[in-house]
Amino acid sequence: MPVWICATCANHYPEAPSPPEVCVICADERQWVPASGQRWTTAAELAAAGHRGDVREVEPGLLGIGVDPPVAIGQRALLVQTAEGNLLWDPPGYLDEAAVAAVADAGGLRAVTASHPHFYGSMADWSRAFDAEVLLCAADAAWMTHPPERPPRTWSGSLEVMAGVTLVQCGGHFPGSAVVHWAEGAGGAGALLSGDTIFVTPGEDRVTFVRSAPNRLPLPERAVRGVVEAVRPYRFDRIYGGWWKPVLHRDARAVVERSAERYIQWLRGDVPEDT
Ligand SMILES: [Zn+2]
Ligand SMILES: [Zn+2]
């Protein structure tokens, strides 16, 4: 019996003779179901279609693990490497032996987590491969569609997973939407790994905040302010979003503050040059 993988979001569902009726993640207003109806796939089918692990060093101490060609939403994972062990963030819904071998070569896996339920994907498989702990923000834990064999640990607010590697609950896109603050990132200036909790835009010079990217739903002012306030105590100069590109390379703290103020001006209709 296969693990069923939603073809649209790549979240996993437990082994069963046939897939569930709906993907609860895609039936939610933040995602979407194809007009032709719910589609399911399996790891064997994705392998046969030519999908392969795509491993690249992003910066020293940070390994990117994507899939080529990308699967579903197309996020690439980030492996934060520390002397105390490694944390895998936002894994794609497909992992192959090459991806597992790359993580083993980099020192294995102590914990796996994701910014929000759209990227919970293959966490149970990664947990099993390395006996790694699955960390779930308590506010979103009920969205886990493929519970790992090893019981997950839930957290709220913030959690320092290893020295200098801290999960920060920001809310917004989901109540438990989180970022990783990596103190050693960006050459010691600090980096955020943000998934789409803080959404880096194509010009790599600003960020935005969304309830739903595919359905173009904005967030209310209080949620935008909540995200900004959650990351304000941390020192960071760079933001890695959920994909290989775009990356906000520098000056990220000021860019987050500036982008949020502009977003709120538009929410309020308080834009002098609006005609
Ligand atoms: Zn789905
Ligand atoms: Zn999302």
Side-chain angles (χ1 to χ4, degrees):
M1 291 191 296
V3 165
W4 293 99
I5 302 174
C6 173
T8 311
C9 74
N11 270 284
H12 289 199
Y13 288 74
E15 295 171 14
S18 56
E21 197 89 337
V22 291
C23 170
V24 292
I25 301 277
C26 286
D28 176 70
E29 75 166 355
R30 282 162 283 207
Q31 252 289 113
W32 55 283
V33 177
S36 52
Q38 172 69 39
R39 274 210 321 115
W40 297 98
T41 187
T42 63
E45 195 176 277
L46 291 169
H51 295 281
R52 295 287 178 268
D54 177 12
V55 181
R56 310 178 201 172
E57 186 182 66
V58 173
E59 66 167 77
L62 192 66
L63 203 63
I65 302 166
V67 180
D68 183 31
V71 168
I73 299 173
Q75 77 272 15
R76 59 89 189 86
L78 292 170
L79 184 77
V80 185
Q81 297 161 255
T82 83
E84 296 175 34
N86 299 337
L87 172 71
L88 184 66
W89 170 251
D90 282 348
Y94 175 71
L95 69 166
D96 63 1
E97 282 174 17
V100 172
V103 170
D105 286 349
L109 198 57
R110 179 161 147 189
V112 55
T113 192
S115 54
H116 69 297
H118 291 156
F119 297 167
Y120 282 0
S122 59
M123 289 206 292
D125 287 357
W126 281 105
S127 172
R128 181 158 13 114
F130 291 93
D131 192 29
E133 187 168 43
V134 174
L135 301 170
L136 295 177
C137 190
D140 295 342
W143 287 101
M144 171 48 99
T145 55
H146 188 210
E149 285 160 27
R150 180 174 166 173
R153 175 153 64 119
T154 55
W155 63 279
S156 292
S158 66
L159 176 71
E160 188 167 35
V161 185
M162 280 97 67
V165 180
T166 306
L167 298 175
V168 182
Q169 181 178 0
C170 297
H173 183 40
F174 276 80
S177 276
V179 298
V180 175
H181 177 251
W182 178 35
E184 295 294 308
L192 296 184
L193 321 183
S194 73
D196 54 13
T197 303
I198 299 173
F199 212 100
V200 181
T201 55
E204 303 189 321
D205 60 348
R206 65 197 90 177
V207 299
T208 193
F209 311 88
V210 295
R211 173 161 171 83
S212 167
N215 299 325
R216 310 297 196 266
L217 293 176
L219 285 175
E221 177 175 343
R222 63 181 155 71
V224 174
R225 293 205 184 280
V227 173
V228 176
E229 281 161 21
V231 301
R232 195 173 281 144
Y234 298 90
R235 204 173 61 88
F236 59 94
D237 198 46
R238 184 174 299 168
I239 299 179
Y240 293 105
W243 297 264
W244 294 113
K245 283 184 168 186
V247 173
L248 183 57
H249 290 277
R250 62 191 69 80
D251 208 21
R253 261 189 88 160
V255 170
V256 167
E257 299 278 348
R258 198 158 62 228
S259 299
E261 287 310 317
R262 186 62 175 164
Y263 189 107
I264 289 164
Q265 276 187 331
W266 278 108
L267 284 178
R268 291 180 173 182
D270 183 17
V271 183
E273 64 271 33
D274 180 21
T275 52

